[in-house]
Structures are given as C-alpha cells and as structure tokens.
Amino acid sequence: MPLDIDTLPTQKSLIDFSELPKNSFNSVFFGYNLRQVLDDVLLVKLVDETSDGTNIVRNGIVVPINSDTRAWRFGEVILAGPSVRFVKVKDIVCFPNNLGVPVASLDVDNYGTLKKGIFLNEQRIFGICSIRKDNESVASHIKKPSSKQRSRN
C-alpha cells in the first residue's frame, strides 16, 4: 500500500537553521516589530556576554568572542513558536554558538529592543538551565519582565 505524503509525520523542522545563512537578516526588520515566531523557532537573547558584546563571561573569566566561534552559549528565550515542545519563554537555554541566525537591534512586541540575540530551532538547544545564586553576573543581564509581561505569560 503506497504511503500518503500528507499523513507522514514531519521529521525535521520546516524552518531549518542547521547552517548559517550567507547574509544577515538584521536589515530585514528595520521599520518593523517582530510579533511572533513560527514552527519550532526560538528567539533567544544572549545573556553570557559583557555589556559591550565583545567577550563571553564564564565563571568570572572573560574570553574574547572571536577566539572561540564554537563556544557554548547561554540565552533567555524571548519568543517561542507554536511547535516548540519543551522550552518556554523566559527559560535559560544552552546551545552551540555556531548554529542559528544572529540578530541585533531587533524590536520585539511586548519586549522592546533586543540588543543581541539568535534565532534557533528547538532541536538545536542542548538543555534548559537555571542560574545559580552565585552567578549574579548572568542574572543582572536578564531583563526583568514588567508586571504587564508577567501577566501575559
């Protein structure tokens, strides 16, 4: 009996970030706010950098970002698509730096301007993390949600 392609389960995300794009998406968003992401896409705010965005901080050690392009990164989930199964908005996630589409100065509805972030598929996330109490440098980078944002999520 032949298989019907419309009834087969999807094996891979429709939007695939397994390879970096050749050009940046940043210029696409000027003049627009991002309201929602689709499929299993996550918009993640990078939370493991110095304020100038040139270094990654690991347990108090500062490492230049360009010295390790495949570093593990940490970020806060800002938006999650409807097909995301395990991760939710405000979760802290870890992922390899070399997968995804980086964005900067992205205006997001009900959030504001995301200074630096990355679009990822949920399948690229390696884990959901919690911030240890002794890691205040990360906690201070995470934007505290307003009471309006807390009530919406």
Side-chain angles (χ1 to χ4, degrees):
M1 176 180 203
L3 294 175
D4 181 0
I5 194 162
D6 293 325
T7 62
L8 292 175
T10 303
Q11 297 298 311
K12 194 168 188 178
S13 174
L14 297 175
I15 303 168
D16 184 17
F17 295 130
S18 61
E19 293 182 29
L20 287 173
K22 294 189 184 345
N23 298 314
S24 171
F25 280 99
N26 293 344
S27 61
V28 174
F29 290 97
F30 290 136
Y32 296 89
N33 283 357
L34 182 62
R35 184 178 47 152
Q36 180 180 355
V37 290
L38 304 177
D39 200 33
D40 75 332
V41 174
L42 300 166
L43 175 59
V44 175
K45 172 187 174 184
L46 299 173
V47 296
D48 59 355
E49 295 183 354
T50 55
S51 59
D52 66 2
T54 60
N55 299 297
I56 299 171
V57 179
R58 291 288 186 272
N59 200 27
I61 299 170
V62 178
V63 179
I65 285 179
N66 60 359
S67 70
D68 188 358
T69 59
R70 294 180 181 237
W72 284 93
R73 299 304 305 269
F74 295 89
E76 177 189 13
V77 176
I78 302 302
L79 293 174
S83 297
V84 171
R85 295 178 48 206
F86 302 106
V87 178
K88 58 187 182 309
V89 171
K90 298 183 189 166
D91 277 348
I92 302 296
V93 295
C94 63
F95 53 92
N97 188 46
N98 62 327
L99 300 174
V101 177
V103 292
S105 301
L106 179 64
D107 293 320
V108 180
D109 280 356
N110 300 313
Y111 178 82
T113 301
L114 177 61
K115 184 176 176 181
K116 192 170 181 183
I118 191 165
F119 285 108
L120 296 163
N121 296 103
E122 185 182 34
Q123 65 188 6
R124 302 287 175 220
I125 300 299
F126 278 63
I128 301 171
C129 306
S130 59
I131 300 172
R132 291 190 339 222
K133 294 189 187 311
D134 64 346
N135 194 3
E136 293 301 317
S137 63
V138 171
S140 67
H141 285 81
I142 299 175
K143 179 180 176 179
K144 303 291 185 226
S146 67
S147 58
K148 184 177 180 181
Q149 284 175 310
R150 274 188 240 114
S151 65
R152 300 185 101 212
N153 294 325

